[in-house]
Amino acid sequence: MSAPRGQFSSNIGFLMAAAGSAVGLGNIWGFPTKAAQNGGAAFVVVYLLLAFLLAYPALMAELTIGRHARSNMVQALRGISTGPISRLFGNLTGFGGIIVASLILSFYSIVAGWMVAYLAEPFARLLGAGEIANWLTSGSIGRNLLFAAIFSGMTMAIIASGVEKGIERWSTLLMPALIILLLLLIVYVLTQPGAITGLETYLIPDFSHFSWSLVISAMGQAFFSLSLGVGTMLIYGSYLSQQESLPRLGALVTLIDVGIAFTAGLLILPAMYVAQEAGTQIFAASGELIAGPDLILQVLPALFNTMGTAGLFVAIAFFALMTIASVTSSISMLEVPVAFSIENLKLGRKTATLLVGLIIFAISSLIIFNFDSLFVLVISISTEYGQPLLGVALCIFAGWIWRRDEVLKELKKGHENIGSTLFWKIWPWYVRLVCPVLILAAFAQSVGLFSG
Ligand code: PHE
C-alpha cells in the first residue's frame, strides 16, 4: 500500500470539518429564502423535524460506513457488499456519488466565484478603481471564468495539503471566523430601519403555506445542507478516530448545521426589509420575495450601496462570510473524487488533486459558456435527483446489505453502551424503512409520479 491514510487529529477537528462541509451557501443563501417563501417559521419547523428525523439518520449511515471501511465511497460499499448483486449496486452507488459530488462542485465553484468577485469589489472601490469594480460585478463570461478558476484554485490548494494540514486546519480556522462574521452582521442589520418587519416575516409562522411541496423543498434543503448522498460525510467519517462516539458527533454536526441556517435567517430576512425601507424592490413580479442570484447579487449590494462608507465594510464582511462558507464546503466535495483517485488509482495526493480539480474546472467552464442551458440543469440533476436517490441507496446499504452485528460493532467503538440506547433501538429501523420510504415518496411526488 502507498502512504498511510490521513486522519483528523481530534474530534474538534472532525467537527469543524464536517460542520464546515455542511454549512455552506445552502445555509446562508438557500435556507433563509426558502423559509421566507414558504411561510416563515412554518418552514423552519418542518425543516427542523426533517433534519433530525430524516437527515440525521442518513448522516449516521454515511459516517458509520465510512469509519468502518476507512476508505472512499466505492471501496467502502464494495467492502460491505455480500454478493455480486450488492457489489454491482455498490459500484453504481459509489461511482454515482463521485460523479454527483463533482457535478455539485462544478456549479458551486461558479457561484462561489461570484462571492469572491463581490468580495473584491469594495476593495477596488476603496482603491478608486471604479472600472475594475464595475467589471467585477458585471456578470461577464470572463469574470465568471476567472473567479471560478480562483475559487477552484483555493479549493485545490487546501485539498492538496491533505486531511490534517489542509481540511482540518482550514476548517478549524475558518468556522469560528464564519460564526463571528455572521453575528456581527446580524447585530448591525438589526439596528437598521425595517429590520423588524423582516424578523416578523421570518419568525411568525404562516401554516397556510403547508403543503407537500413544502415538505419536499425542506427535505431537499436538509439533504443538500447536510452534504448527504455523495460520500462527503462518508469520507470524512473514514478519517475519524475509533475513539469517538459517532451518534454524538453526528448529532452535533446536525445541530450546528441547523443552528447556523436558522441564524442566517436572522440576517438575510431583516436585511431584505432594510433594503426595502431604503427603496430597493424586494418582491418579484410574481409577488414572491426575490430569492436566488438576484437576492445576493442585486438586492443586498443595493442595500450596501445605501450605507455609505459603512456599506463597503458591511459588503466585505458579508461576501467574506459567503466565501468562507463556500470553501469549507467545496473542499469536502473535492475530497470525494480525490480520495478515490489516491486509493484506487494509486495517484499521489497532489497529482490527484490537480487532475481532478482541472477536470471539474473544465466542467465549470462548459457550464459558464452554456450558462442558460446548463446551469439550472446541472443543479437539478445533482441536487434534486442525484442526492436523494444516492441517499436512499446508502440507507439501503446501512439498513439491509451491511450485517447488523457488524454495524453494531462499529457503532460500539467510542460508545460502549450504544446497544442499550434509544438510538440503537430506533436508528436501524429508520435507515431500513423510514428513510428510504420517505425519501422515495417525496422524490416520486417531486418528479410528478403521483400527479398524473
Ligand atoms: N452542504 C453544503 C451547503 O450547504 C453543500 C454540499 C453539498 C457540500 C454536497 C458537500 C456535498 O452549501
Side-chain angles (χ1 to χ4, degrees):
M1 279 297 282
S2 44
R5 284 192 102 234
Q7 185 164 329
F8 292 116
S9 68
S10 67
N11 58 358
I12 297 289
F14 165 80
L15 204 59
M16 289 295 133
S21 167
V23 175
L25 296 172
N27 301 58
I28 299 173
W29 175 339
F31 178 81
T33 48
K34 280 199 184 162
Q37 293 174 333
N38 289 293
F43 181 85
V44 178
V45 172
V46 175
Y47 180 76
L48 281 178
L49 284 174
L50 285 175
F52 281 99
L53 298 182
L54 194 62
Y56 169 64
L59 169 68
M60 286 307 302
E62 281 200 39
L63 290 178
T64 316
I65 294 175
R67 192 177 69 175
H68 166 79
R70 304 224 144 276
S71 64
N72 66 82
M73 188 160 166
V74 172
Q75 204 59 21
L77 296 182
R78 280 182 190 159
I80 55 174
S81 298
T82 44
I85 295 181
S86 57
R87 202 178 146 86
L88 176 68
F89 184 45
N91 277 328
L92 283 176
T93 310
F95 284 112
I98 291 177
I99 293 171
V100 174
S102 307
L103 284 180
I104 295 180
L105 182 54
S106 72
F107 78 76
Y108 210 84
S109 301
I110 301 175
V111 179
W114 299 339
M115 302 302 116
V116 182
Y118 274 70
L119 172 61
E121 193 248 13
F123 287 102
R125 287 212 186 284
L126 279 172
L127 295 171
E131 243 171 69
I132 297 186
N134 289 342
W135 178 76
L136 285 170
T137 52
S138 69
S140 68
I141 288 189
R143 195 277 320 257
N144 284 348
L145 275 178
L146 178 67
F147 281 88
I150 292 175
F151 183 80
S152 306
M154 281 162 35
T155 307
M156 283 157 71
I158 296 177
I159 285 303
S161 310
V163 178
E164 201 186 324
K165 296 218 171 68
I167 298 175
E168 177 171 349
R169 196 174 67 178
W170 282 96
S171 304
T172 316
L173 202 76
L174 293 176
M175 284 308 283
L178 179 144
I179 293 172
I180 293 171
L181 280 175
L182 182 60
L183 294 180
L184 284 178
L185 282 163
I186 290 175
V187 170
Y188 182 76
V189 166
L190 287 185
T191 58
Q192 303 296 308
I196 302 306
T197 321
L199 268 191
E200 285 169 1
T201 312
Y202 182 41
L203 295 179
I204 298 178
D206 175 1
F207 281 101
S208 68
H209 276 76
F210 190 87
S211 68
W212 244 114
S213 70
L214 180 147
V215 177
I216 290 160
S217 167
M219 188 183 81
Q221 177 64 31
F223 259 72
F224 183 74
S225 191
L226 273 170
S227 313
L228 294 178
V230 295
T232 46
M233 289 302 181
L234 192 152
I235 196 75
Y236 276 14
S238 82
Y239 299 137
L240 182 63
S241 130
Q242 297 185 327
Q243 267 116 52
E244 313 293 344
S245 158
L246 284 177
R248 228 172 274 148
L249 282 177
L252 274 173
V253 173
T254 312
L255 259 179
I256 297 176
D257 184 55
V258 167
I260 293 192
F262 178 77
T263 313
L266 302 175
L267 170 67
I268 302 292
L269 269 299
M272 289 185 82
Y273 282 83
V274 175
Q276 186 185 41
E277 191 82 14
T280 305
Q281 181 60 261
I282 62 167
F283 289 95
S286 62
E288 280 204 357
L289 274 175
I290 292 177
D294 289 349
L295 165 64
I296 304 292
L297 305 181
Q298 280 166 23
V299 174
L300 296 184
L303 167 65
F304 304 150
N305 276 340
T306 62
M307 294 174 161
T309 319
L312 287 178
F313 294 99
V314 178
I316 290 172
F318 180 73
F319 287 107
L321 170 76
M322 296 301 255
T323 304
I324 292 175
S326 306
V327 85
T328 53
S329 296
S330 65
I331 54 177
S332 73
M333 299 171 204
L334 183 57
E335 182 62 15
V336 172
V338 166
F340 171 79
S341 309
I342 296 174
E343 289 167 4
N344 289 42
L345 309 178
K346 307 283 179 247
L347 298 179
R349 175 168 280 275
K350 294 208 163 57
T351 320
T353 308
L354 191 66
L355 196 74
V356 174
L358 286 179
I359 294 174
I360 295 175
F361 178 66
I363 305 176
S364 303
S365 310
L366 201 70
I367 299 176
I368 291 174
F369 281 112
N370 302 280
F371 197 82
D372 292 342
S373 49
L374 286 186
F375 184 65
V376 174
L377 184 70
V378 172
I379 295 181
S380 151
I381 290 178
S382 54
T383 63
E384 285 168 24
Y385 296 80
Q387 276 193 294
L389 285 180
L390 290 166
V392 173
L394 283 163
C395 288
I396 291 176
F397 265 99
W400 296 91
I401 298 176
W402 195 8
R403 287 186 24 212
R404 251 179 90 98
D405 52 337
E406 292 277 327
V407 183
L408 184 58
K409 206 164 106 199
E410 183 56 43
L411 281 166
K412 270 194 169 154
K413 294 173 189 157
H415 201 142
E416 202 33 61
N417 64 349
I418 187 104
S420 58
T421 59
L422 195 62
F423 176 85
W424 181 251
K425 292 200 179 81
I426 297 178
W427 180 75
W429 291 105
Y430 246 89
V431 278
R432 269 199 130 169
L433 295 169
V434 182
C435 289
V437 168
L438 277 183
I439 300 170
L440 282 177
F443 182 70
Q445 172 78 15
S446 76
V447 295
L449 287 188
F450 296 155
S451 58

